[in-house]
Amino acid sequence: MFSLDAPLTPRELSQLDRERVWHPYTTSPTDSEHPVVDSAEGVRLRLAEPVHGVDELIDGMSSWWAAIHGYAHPELDAAAHAQVDRMSHVMFGGLTHENAVRLAATLTEITPESLDHVFLADSGSVSVEVALKMCLQYWRGLGRPEKRRVLTWRGGYHGDTWHPMSVCDPEGGMHHLWRGALPEQVFAEAPPAGFSAEADADYLEHLEGLLRRHSGELAAIIVEPVVQGAGGMRFHSPEYPRRLRELADRHGVLLVFDEIATGFGRTGELFAADHAGVAPDVLCLGKALTGGYLTMAATVASGRVAEGIAGGEVPVLAHGPTFMGNPLAAAVARASLRVLLRDDWRARVRRIESGLASGLAPAAELPGVRDVRVLGAIGVIQLDRPVDTAAAAAAAVERGVWLRPFRDLIYTMPPYVIADEDLARVTEAAVAAARVG
Ligand SMILES: *Cc1c(COP(=O)(O)O)cnc(C)c1O
């Protein structure tokens, strides 16, 4: 009998998993054991078999920024069920359907005003590929094919496919491994840390210097505004993205904001760009777009970009994934946006922000803790050395909480629906993880 349907105990599943399956950033085969999740509801993951005596974990990670309304949300479930009964998928080449059109139109309504053309991609990395393709093609359309490099700052993360990888932090992205293979982009230093109103004059001068030197070959600047996520969970002043808008305009370069992690309220504004009060030329969205149900992302561009591409020798945006605009994902994304915009997301994020600030504060007193920071529904404990990730994660699991520490960081971005008692358990677990990590 094939493993598809053979009876397997959780033990045997785990064993097969270790022998056969790659997980994110792991070897295969591997020694490390992954808890088997059987189902999930609200903020809780139910395990197929207890781990450290615990059979339910509060998800402090929202499945990597995505599950903002928690699991098995009645409205999202209903939208998915209804759509499965109509059609799960239909090709987007030459055909269209209501969910994709309404979703795209809504995205243009809630994102900064100048953004009004939408490409529905099938993952965050692909949306970044498409954003960069748009920018390069825009300059080709204008007869400037030499403008094909990209400027970014260090400490960023934009995904794991080829062009996104080229703009990830050179050390975090292991660029040394790919020398000669990855396109070589222009890197600024990481933006000075700290969410504040001020910008550092020397740093702005550094950015401007790079633009002065490279603008003739630059198609675009790409950054994560205000919060750099997987590249190090660093916060910076909204003044930097605001100044990047000015610099991009002055030096004739397009500006791309990657809000795949920060979009849909996570930082306390609907989009992190709103902290800066500026619009990029192209915006990438993903992760929470479908409330964490299905993989879908969006690249939203201004009319100027769309027209530049349309005016080129090859006027089409030559990109078209098989599962583009997937109706099932689009239906759930519509439901997720409806719930987000109807319920008071701002109040929820603010409540989580204050719970994280008070709950994580004790970590600041621990030896080996370098920094504790909170912005919106994101809480971070940074150590002064690499975390013992296995020990830290186990300390959280023992307290009934799922966290996934990496590098020198223990961090949480809980679902917006988390109750205060559960949030307190998450912060206690994070502090306990910092103590052993
Ligand atoms: C997660 C992430 C990506 C990549 O998205 P995938 O859906 O994993 O391909 C890109 N940029 C940012 C800022 C992200 O957080």
Side-chain angles (χ1 to χ4, degrees), residues 103-104 107-108 111 115-135 222 255-260 264 280-286 289 296-302 305-306 309 317 319 321 324:
L103 173 63
L107 290 176
T108 65
T111 52
L115 301 174
D116 46 19
H117 297 264
V118 180
F119 187 100
L120 293 172
D122 38 10
S123 76
S125 301
V126 172
S127 79
V128 174
E129 295 280 3
V130 170
L132 296 180
K133 187 186 267 192
M134 283 176 178
C135 294
I222 184 169
L255 181 62
V256 181
F257 284 168
D258 178 349
E259 294 224 31
I260 291 168
F264 306 109
D281 299 293
V282 183
L283 176 68
C284 295
L285 300 172
L289 175 61
M296 176 173 260
T299 313
V300 193
S302 68
V305 170
I309 294 169
L317 178 62
H319 211 99
M324 183 168 179

Side-chain angles (χ1 to χ4, degrees), residues 67-68 95 109 123 153 199 208 213 283 303 309 345:
I68 52 176
L95 297 172
E109 285 157 14
S123 76
W153 49 37
E208 173 126 46
R213 199 160 341 125
L283 176 68
I309 294 169
W345 62 268

Side-chain angles (χ1 to χ4, degrees), residues 174-200:
M174 291 197 273
H175 286 198
H176 63 274
L177 184 64
W178 301 112
R179 192 154 298 130
L182 272 187
E184 286 187 22
Q185 313 293 14
V186 179
F187 283 91
E189 293 306 314
F195 181 80
S196 71
E198 259 100 83
D200 180 272

Side-chain angles (χ1 to χ4, degrees), residues 93-353:
L95 297 172
T96 195
H97 55 87
E98 183 178 359
N99 282 310
V101 177
R102 286 190 188 273
L103 173 63
T106 304
L107 290 176
T108 65
E109 285 157 14
I110 63 174
T111 52
E113 199 178 332
S114 52
L115 301 174
D116 46 19
H117 297 264
V118 180
F119 187 100
L120 293 172
D122 38 10
S123 76
S125 301
V126 172
S127 79
V128 174
E129 295 280 3
V130 170
L132 296 180
K133 187 186 267 192
M134 283 176 178
C135 294
L136 267 66
Q137 208 175 326
Y138 169 86
W139 290 111
R140 274 170 195 263
L142 267 63
R144 301 287 305 276
E146 73 284 3
K147 282 169 79 70
R148 56 166 197 246
R149 287 182 84 192
V150 181
L151 182 148
T152 187
W153 49 37
R154 286 172 181 262
Y157 177 77
H158 298 283
D160 292 340
T161 60
W162 217 235
H163 275 86
M165 231 166 85
S166 77
V167 285
C168 287
D169 183 75
E171 272 123 59
M174 291 197 273
H175 286 198
H176 63 274
L177 184 64
W178 301 112
R179 192 154 298 130
L182 272 187
E184 286 187 22
Q185 313 293 14
V186 179
F187 283 91
E189 293 306 314
F195 181 80
S196 71
E198 259 100 83
D200 180 272
D202 291 341
Y203 185 72
L204 290 172
E205 183 47 45
H206 164 61
L207 288 176
E208 173 126 46
L210 286 174
L211 277 155
R212 229 180 278 127
R213 199 160 341 125
H214 294 284
S215 63
E217 55 175 349
L218 285 177
I221 302 167
I222 184 169
V223 295
E224 295 155 277
V226 183
V227 176
Q228 293 181 298
M233 302 298 297
R234 298 170 84 239
F235 308 156
H236 58 254
S237 168
E239 198 54 24
Y240 296 117
R242 188 178 305 143
R243 296 301 188 89
L244 282 178
R245 178 70 275 175
E246 287 171 22
L247 290 173
D249 289 342
R250 196 175 321 143
H251 293 275
V253 176
L254 294 172
L255 181 62
V256 181
F257 284 168
D258 178 349
E259 294 224 31
I260 291 168
T262 53
F264 306 109
R266 182 57 70 177
T267 67
E269 292 289 345
L270 196 52
F271 299 101
D274 299 337
H275 289 286
V278 294
D281 299 293
V282 183
L283 176 68
C284 295
L285 300 172
K287 291 200 161 96
L289 175 61
T290 65
Y293 270 49
L294 287 148
T295 177
M296 176 173 260
T299 313
V300 193
S302 68
R304 174 189 164 203
V305 170
E307 282 153 28
I309 294 169
E313 190 187 334
V314 178
V316 296
L317 178 62
H319 211 99
T322 305
F323 289 98
M324 183 168 179
N326 175 254
L328 191 50
V332 178
R334 274 179 72 197
S336 175
L337 283 179
R338 193 179 302 118
V339 170
L340 180 76
L341 299 170
R342 183 196 60 208
D343 297 353
D344 192 352
W345 62 268
R346 199 183 284 277
R348 291 186 167 189
V349 170
R350 219 176 268 138
R351 181 178 55 76
I352 295 173
E353 184 170 42

